Amino acid sequence: MNRLEILKTYKLYINGKFPRSESGRYYTPEGADGKALGNICQSSRKDLRESVRAARSALGTWAPRAAFNRSQILYRIGEMLEGRRAQFETELKRQGSSAASASKEVENAIDLAVYYAGWCDKYQQVFSAVNPVSTSHFNFSVYEPVGVVAAIAPEQSALAGLLGTILPIIAGGNTCITLASNSKPLSAITLAEVLATSDLPGGVVNILTGDRKELLPVFATHMDINALVASDLSTTRVAELKQASTHNLKRIVIHQSDLSKQEDPYVILKTQEIKTTWHPIETSIAGGGKY
Amino acid sequence: MAKSSTTFRYDYAQSPPVDQVGIAERAARFTTRSIKTSTKREGLNMVLNMIDLTTLEGADTPRKVQQLCYKAGHLHDAIPGLPHTAAVCVYPPFVKVARKALGNRSPIKIASVATGFPSGHLTLEGKREETKRAVGDGADEVDMVISRGRFLSGDYDYVFDEIAAIKEACGKARLKVILETGELATLDNVRRASDIAIHAGADFIKTSTGKISSAATIPVTLVMLLAIRDYHFKSGNMVGMKPAGGISKSKLALHYLVMVKETLGPEWLSNEWFRFGASSLANDVLMQIAKIESGGAYQSPCYFSQD
C-alpha cells in the first residue's frame, strides 16, 4: 500500500520557537528539479520586530555568559549537525547542489562550528591589549559584543555560508536575527532545529525567511539593531543601507570573502567593540617609586 | 458624598451576579479592534494624558520621585507637543517632595497611596491619620486599599464604613478605591466590591495595587465599568475608573480605551474619569509615537528615559 507523503512545514525560528509568519504570507521557491521546495514563510516587518525583541532580551543572558560555556554550546551545534548530515545533504541537493558539493558543504559547516567554538574563549585574550601610557594608570583594551546583530545570509551558500555568517557573531557574545537565503531556505530552517537542540538559549539566533528587498530597509532603520552583517549585496544596496542606518549609527559590515570556507578569528572582531579602561595605580615602578 | 452607615446602607444583595462567559466573550471582542494611523496617534496621546506615572518601590528615594515628577511633564522632549501625564503616584512620605518638585500650580496631579498600601492591614485610626497627612502634604488624590480579608469573610459593612471614613478624611482630595481584584477570587465579588465602593463614596474605583501577579485584566475592568454604568443610570453621577498593574503595551491601552468608550461613552474619555496606573506603559507609548513620527522605524528603549 502506498503511504501518504508526509511533507514538512517550514516555519520561522523566533525566540526559540517555530512560529509561522504573523502575516500569513508564504512563497514557493522552486528546486533544481523544477518542483516546489515547499511553502516558505514570507516574513513581515512585524516578524522582524518580534525577532529583535527576542534577540535583545536574549543578549542579557548570552553576552555575560562564561566564554567557555559559549564554546561548549557552539561545539554542541557541531555535534548536532553531524547527526543530521544526511538530512542536510538531501536538502542541499533539492536546492541544486551536486552530491559531492552537498557533502562537502555539510562538512565545511560542521568544521566551522568546531572552529568558532574554539575561539569563543580565546579571542579576547589574544586580541585584547595592555596599552603603554605615560601616566600612572593601568590601561587595557578588551573586546566586547556590539549587541544585537542583523545577519543577511549569502544567497548561494545556504548552509555553510549561513553558519559562516552567524557563528562568528554569536561566538563573540552577540545575539542575531538572520535573513536566510531566499531561493534556498530549507537548510536555514533545518539549521534552526539543530540550534533549538544545542543548548543555545532561545532568542540568541532568530531565523527569518522572506524577501530581502522588503526587509532590508526595516533592518536598516530599526533603532534596536546595533550592527548589520552581509556579504553579497550590490554597492547601491550597501549605500542605501548605510544611509538608512545613520539614525542609530548602526555598524554595517560587508564581508568581501567567502564566509562558507573562511576559518578566521578576525571575522569575530567585526562585530565587537573595544572597551578601554584606565585604572589608576598609586605609584609606577617604571617611575622609580615603590609599592 | 460620604455616607455614614447609620444614614444609608447599600443592599449588597442587590449586586447582580456576573455572567462570566458573557464577560469573557465581550472582553475578547475589544482586543480585535484595529486602530491605525491618525486615530492611533490621537489615541496614544490620550493614553499618555491618562497615565498616573507611578513609582511604588521600597527602594524609592526623594531624587527618584523628583525625576518622576520631571518626567511627568517632559515625557520625551525630542517630540514637541506631547501631553503631560495625568498624575504622579507615590507613597505618602514622598508627597511633600512631589509637591515641591511640581509646584502649586502644576496641572499634574499628585496621587498618594494610603491606608497601609498594599496590604491594607492597619488600624482604622492609622488609615485616617495617613490619609489626612497625605492630603495635608499636598496630595490631590488618595489611592486607598480595601480590607480584602474583611470583604472575603463577608463583613461588607466594615468595608463600606471604612471607605466612607477614608472619604471623609480625604476632604477635597479625590478618592480612588483599590479593590485588589486578584485577591477577590470571582467576578461576582469584583462586582459587589465595586458597588460597595461606589456607594460608599469612591470617586474612582481601581483594580489593583500592582503588587501581586494577577493585576488589571480586560474582563475584570469590564465588570467594574458595568458597575459604574449601572450606578450612572440610576443616580446620574459619574465615577472614574483606573485599571492598574500589568498594562505595559500601547496596543492593550488602546483596547482599554475602546472598552471605556463602548461601555460608558465618550464622557469618560478624559483623565478626569479614566486613568491608567502604570510605570512602563508611558515608554512603550512614546516608542510607538516616535515610530509613527519617524516614518515607521522601530524604536529602541535605549533612547528613552528610564524611570
Side-chain angles (χ1 to χ4, degrees):
Chain A
M1 202 177 85
N2 280 336
R3 278 190 75 231
L4 200 62
E5 202 180 356
I6 309 283
L7 294 172
K8 174 167 155 186
T9 311
Y10 289 89
K11 297 191 284 186
L12 307 177
Y13 184 54
I14 299 174
N15 204 17
K17 297 191 174 65
F18 293 88
R20 289 180 171 81
S21 168
E22 63 78 38
S23 65
R25 300 176 307 172
Y26 63 94
Y27 68 105
T28 317
E30 273 181 10
D33 52 4
K35 275 201 269 181
L37 286 175
N39 291 330
I40 307 297
C41 291
Q42 191 180 340
S43 309
S44 67
R45 51 187 286 137
K46 285 189 182 171
D47 295 316
L48 171 52
R49 178 193 66 185
E50 290 311 304
S51 309
V52 175
R53 202 172 277 162
R56 176 59 65 188
S57 104
L59 187 68
T61 62
W62 184 243
R65 188 175 284 253
F68 180 63
N69 187 226
R70 284 207 300 270
S71 171
Q72 288 174 309
I73 291 171
L74 261 67
Y75 189 83
R76 179 91 177 145
I77 294 175
E79 289 176 10
M80 292 291 116
L81 283 168
E82 183 71 33
R84 287 188 183 233
R85 282 178 79 136
Q87 185 185 2
F88 279 109
E89 285 177 22
T90 313
E91 284 177 345
L92 285 171
K93 280 185 270 182
R94 283 181 63 199
Q95 291 174 160
S97 300
S98 68
S101 73
S103 162
K104 187 82 190 98
E105 179 164 355
V106 177
E107 262 170 31
N108 271 345
I110 298 166
D111 292 351
L112 280 170
V114 175
Y115 181 81
Y116 284 110
W119 271 108
C120 284
D121 59 349
K122 297 178 187 65
Y123 78 93
Q124 276 174 314
Q125 43 184 310
V126 172
F127 295 109
S128 295
V130 174
N131 311 314
V133 287
S134 52
T135 55
S136 55
H137 289 88
F138 178 45
N139 183 291
F140 54 96
S141 301
V142 287
Y143 281 94
E144 291 193 341
V146 292
V148 173
V149 179
I152 312 301
E155 188 63 31
Q156 292 311 320
S157 180
L159 179 63
L162 172 62
L163 272 169
T165 310
I166 62 175
L167 286 172
I169 294 171
I170 61 172
N174 302 289
T175 56
C176 79
I177 306 105
T178 184
L179 179 60
S181 164
N182 181 272
S183 57
K184 303 178 174 183
L186 304 189
S187 320
I189 302 301
T190 306
L191 176 67
E193 291 158 19
V194 166
L195 299 178
T197 49
S198 302
D199 304 327
L200 190 74
V204 173
V205 175
N206 303 278
I207 299 180
L208 301 176
T209 49
D211 187 17
R212 272 191 187 182
K213 218 162 102 187
E214 179 189 357
L215 292 175
L216 273 178
V218 189
F219 274 114
T221 55
H222 200 308
M223 296 290 282
D224 214 16
I225 296 177
N226 303 106
L228 185 143
V229 178
S231 52
D232 55 351
L233 297 178
S234 70
T235 44
T236 23
R237 185 52 62 75
V238 171
E240 280 167 17
L241 275 182
K242 283 187 174 167
Q243 196 176 11
S245 60
T246 48
H247 279 291
N248 72 338
L249 303 178
K250 201 175 278 111
R251 186 186 298 185
I252 306 283
V253 180
I254 307 295
H255 289 294
Q256 303 299 338
S257 47
D258 179 8
L259 291 175
S260 66
K261 298 193 189 75
Q262 194 172 17
E263 296 185 341
D264 179 0
Y266 288 95
V267 179
I268 300 175
L269 305 186
K270 297 281 188 188
T271 48
Q272 298 286 302
E273 53 192 11
I274 299 170
K275 183 169 84 180
T276 296
T277 305
W278 295 71
H279 192 76
I281 46 177
E282 286 194 356
T283 331
S284 99
I285 298 174
K290 289 175 190 159
Y291 280 111
Chain B
M1 282 300 292
K3 295 162 184 110
S4 95
S5 53
T6 47
T7 55
F8 173 83
R9 189 169 292 283
Y10 174 66
D11 180 3
Y12 315 112
Q14 276 183 7
S15 282
V18 175
D19 170 8
Q20 211 170 343
V21 176
I23 289 289
E25 276 182 13
R26 180 79 180 113
R29 217 173 309 159
F30 296 120
T31 63
T32 60
R33 301 285 195 286
S34 180
I35 298 156
K36 300 287 180 199
T37 61
S38 57
T39 318
K40 179 177 177 185
R41 182 70 172 78
E42 288 298 310
L44 292 175
N45 260 8
M46 189 180 264
V47 170
L48 284 181
N49 194 231
M50 287 173 168
I51 289 176
D52 282 6
L53 203 60
T54 302
T55 180
L56 296 170
E57 303 295 334
D60 284 349
T61 59
R63 294 295 286 177
K64 185 172 178 202
V65 171
Q66 278 176 16
Q67 196 206 322
L68 190 83
C69 291
Y70 182 83
K71 176 155 185 176
H74 301 260
L75 282 167
H76 190 60
D77 287 344
I79 302 173
L82 288 178
H84 56 77
T85 68
V88 291
C89 184
V90 295
Y91 270 117
F94 298 108
V95 172
K96 265 188 181 162
V97 180
R99 181 47 74 205
K100 197 164 168 233
L102 288 172
N104 285 326
R105 270 179 277 170
S106 171
I108 300 162
K109 303 266 193 292
I110 296 171
S112 169
V113 294
T115 73
F117 182 93
S119 70
H121 290 307
L122 197 63
T123 59
L124 182 58
E125 216 24 67
K127 290 181 180 181
R128 289 167 62 102
E129 185 65 25
E130 197 183 13
T131 307
K132 280 184 179 155
R133 181 167 301 165
V135 175
D137 285 350
D140 302 297
E141 299 167 355
V142 172
D143 290 29
M144 73 168 286
V145 287
I146 63 166
S147 300
R148 281 88 72 192
R150 294 279 194 155
F151 179 88
L152 290 171
S153 47
D155 200 349
Y156 302 136
D157 288 353
Y158 181 91
V159 177
F160 185 101
D161 292 348
E162 193 176 60
I163 297 170
I166 301 299
K167 173 68 187 172
E168 201 179 8
C170 277
K172 277 185 196 160
R174 293 178 88 196
L175 176 66
K176 304 196 197 106
V177 179
I178 305 171
L179 309 182
E180 193 65 308
T181 53
E183 291 181 346
L184 296 186
T186 66
L187 289 180
D188 280 349
N189 276 345
V190 171
R191 173 69 197 227
R192 187 172 292 118
S194 305
D195 286 339
I196 291 172
I198 291 170
H199 285 90
D203 296 298
F204 267 86
I205 50 176
K206 174 175 168 183
T207 57
S208 326
T209 59
K211 293 291 173 199
I212 62 167
S213 60
S214 170
T217 63
I218 289 190
V220 158
T221 308
L222 179 58
V223 170
M224 293 168 72
L225 290 174
L226 290 172
I228 293 173
R229 186 171 74 174
D230 289 347
Y231 178 71
H232 179 66
F233 284 159
K234 249 184 273 173
S235 70
N237 297 333
M238 288 169 83
V239 174
M241 173 72 208
K242 177 177 173 184
I247 306 168
S248 54
K249 294 281 175 270
S250 344
K251 198 174 187 181
L252 182 58
L254 290 174
H255 289 150
Y256 271 88
L257 292 188
V258 169
M259 172 163 63
V260 171
K261 172 134 191 297
E262 293 184 12
T263 311
L264 294 176
E267 302 84 20
W268 264 265
L269 284 183
S270 88
N271 65 17
E272 204 189 340
W273 299 110
F274 189 74
R275 298 282 179 82
F276 290 105
S279 44
S280 55
L281 173 64
N283 269 15
D284 192 70
V285 175
L286 292 172
M287 278 166 62
Q288 287 295 322
I289 291 177
K291 173 179 172 264
I292 295 171
E293 298 282 320
S294 70
Y298 288 123
Q299 300 296 307
S300 162
C302 307
Y303 302 97
F304 294 84
S305 67
Q306 304 296 308
D307 38 24

